Amino acid sequence: MIRIPFNRPFAAGNGLDYVRTAIAASKFSGDGPFTAECHRLLERSLGVQKALLTTSCTHALEMAALLLNLGPGDEVIVPAFTFPSALNAFVLRSARPVFVDVRADTLNIDEAQIDQRITEHTKAIFLVHYAGVGCEMEVIMAIARRHSIAVVEDNAHGLYGKYRNQYLGTFGGLATLSFHETKNFTCGEGGALLINDAQFNERAEILREKGTDRSRFFRGEIDKYNWIDVGSSYLPSDLLAAFLRAQLEHRDQIQSRRREIWETYARELTSWAEANGVRLPNVPPECEQAYHMFYVIMPSFETRQALISHLAGFGILAVFHYLPLHLSPMGERFGGRRGDCPVTEDLSDRLLRFPFFTGMTSSEQSQIVDAVRAFRC
Ligand SMILES: Cc1ncc(COP(=O)(O)O)c(C=O)c1O
């Protein structure tokens, strides 16, 4: 029986009061006052010129693919170690993924391998800041500028992480956030599109509202709304935004507790890791991480599986993460072959994530640490 789950969603402060207020205001659909407040909180705290809540990070990525007009014949650079959402976003538009391996130290896209994968068909780089630790954005943005290609930051893990003192999600023309229940800030299912390039503002509102200019209509700027572009329904209910507002308002409480949990794992497991040939996460000095997850790299696939079973014996759920996307059935359809991305193939087999959630008690963490320390590779 699992006693310590991998994740337990955290209900911050007055989230339920806000939901009650939203219900009392009889505003259940999207773009009500709580959504506006979340937009304001994200824009002010990150310094982005426009944030739009979405129903998920996946949908924000789909909006990015639409905004960039990705289509048949276009190629998009992606890390082989990421979640399928970024790929679905542009594959749905008939663009093709071009897989790039990740760096062994951060598991982020290896910026040194991007240039050689760029062709005349390359339209964009969709990157992920894995575990909320920033990619090498200085190099990546320089490559993108040199080739005039767009950068979309999938920042599902990294809200409030920084690279060279600048918030993740503020580098590319577009960036996305996730508020799924496993993320630092959550409303169950949700996300946001961050727009750093104002040329996308107007069309983003239209795509998000079923291809109509209804947002302008609701603001009283026009007297009727019409179908003027493609689009879908990407806006979440204001009830979800009400819950999310409380989370965003508790940023300091949430992030400082997560930092404590992360630092406790790192401190308490250092000797065990050294003695057993296990690698702890690496955060380069130019990065301030977002404290999204704590993972270890085990010496082998077998020891990783054995540690999962060992912890399960203590009622603790530890999980692996992404399978190499170029070797997935879909990835193979795009030409992915074993050996294309050796670092991804190796680390994906050996990575293990420990339970990590804001409401974890000290006693729960001690039990996890003790159980891990009792394991020998
Ligand atoms: C890097 C990354 N991007 C996107 C997603 C999808 O997020 P959502 O569930 O909000 O669509 C995930 C899911 O965990 C993820 O890890």
Side-chain angles (χ1 to χ4, degrees), residues 55-59 61 82-83 85-86 128 154-157 176-180 182-183 189-191 292 321-322:
T55 32
S56 64
C57 182
T58 303
H59 278 167
L61 288 159
T82 188
F83 198 72
S85 291
V128 58
D154 176 350
N155 197 26
H157 301 175
T176 63
L177 302 175
S178 174
F179 300 120
H180 180 262
T182 50
K183 303 305 187 292
E189 298 276 0
H292 173 55
H321 213 185
Y322 311 129

Side-chain angles (χ1 to χ4, degrees), residues 21-248:
T21 306
I23 290 171
S26 294
K27 175 63 183 161
F28 288 19
S29 59
D31 276 342
F34 284 104
T35 304
E37 186 58 22
C38 288
H39 290 167
R40 197 187 63 84
L41 283 165
L42 288 170
E43 286 161 6
R44 288 221 182 137
S45 60
L46 294 170
V48 298
Q49 59 94 39
K50 194 169 182 67
L52 289 172
L53 288 195
T54 56
T55 32
S56 64
C57 182
T58 303
H59 278 167
L61 288 159
E62 283 182 22
M63 286 181 68
L66 284 164
L67 285 167
L68 295 174
N69 288 315
L70 297 177
D74 292 341
E75 293 175 1
V76 178
I77 304 269
V78 276
F81 190 70
T82 188
F83 198 72
S85 291
L87 288 91
N88 279 321
F90 57 80
V91 167
L92 280 166
R93 318 305 320 152
S94 303
R96 293 177 58 84
V98 173
F99 296 105
V100 170
D101 208 354
V102 295
R103 288 164 49 141
D105 59 349
T106 56
L107 287 90
N108 281 331
I109 190 165
D110 185 349
E111 67 282 354
Q113 297 189 40
I114 294 177
D115 236 341
Q116 69 214 49
R117 308 306 305 275
I118 290 178
T119 71
E120 57 184 313
H121 303 294
T122 309
K123 288 285 155 49
I125 304 171
F126 276 51
L127 53 80
V128 58
H129 302 297
Y130 186 71
V133 175
C135 295
E136 185 41 72
M137 293 312 293
E138 213 164 72
V139 175
I140 293 170
M141 294 309 293
I143 295 171
R145 273 192 298 274
R146 198 160 62 247
H147 295 278
S148 300
I149 55 182
V151 172
V152 177
E153 298 173 71
D154 176 350
N155 197 26
H157 301 175
L159 178 54
Y160 300 126
K162 287 183 176 175
Y163 166 85
R164 295 200 191 280
N165 217 24
Q166 183 179 334
Y167 282 116
L168 304 180
T170 65
F171 290 87
L174 297 163
T176 63
L177 302 175
S178 174
F179 300 120
H180 180 262
E181 71 165 30
T182 50
K183 303 305 187 292
N184 298 22
F185 302 88
T186 181
C187 57
E189 298 276 0
L193 180 71
L194 305 178
I195 306 176
N196 298 309
D197 183 342
Q199 63 155 319
F200 296 121
N201 285 3
E202 195 179 332
R203 189 159 179 245
E205 276 192 351
I206 291 166
L207 301 181
R208 183 168 164 271
E209 265 284 24
K210 301 92 183 164
T212 73
D213 49 3
R214 193 154 80 155
S215 301
R216 292 190 65 205
F217 173 71
F218 284 144
R219 285 198 298 267
E221 293 167 14
I222 47 177
D223 61 1
K224 53 185 170 308
Y225 67 88
N226 212 337
W227 183 34
I228 48 181
D229 202 337
V230 293
S232 190
S233 188
Y234 290 125
L235 68 171
S237 161
D238 217 44
L239 300 183
L240 289 177
F243 192 80
L244 182 63
R245 174 183 167 178
Q247 304 256 322
L248 295 175

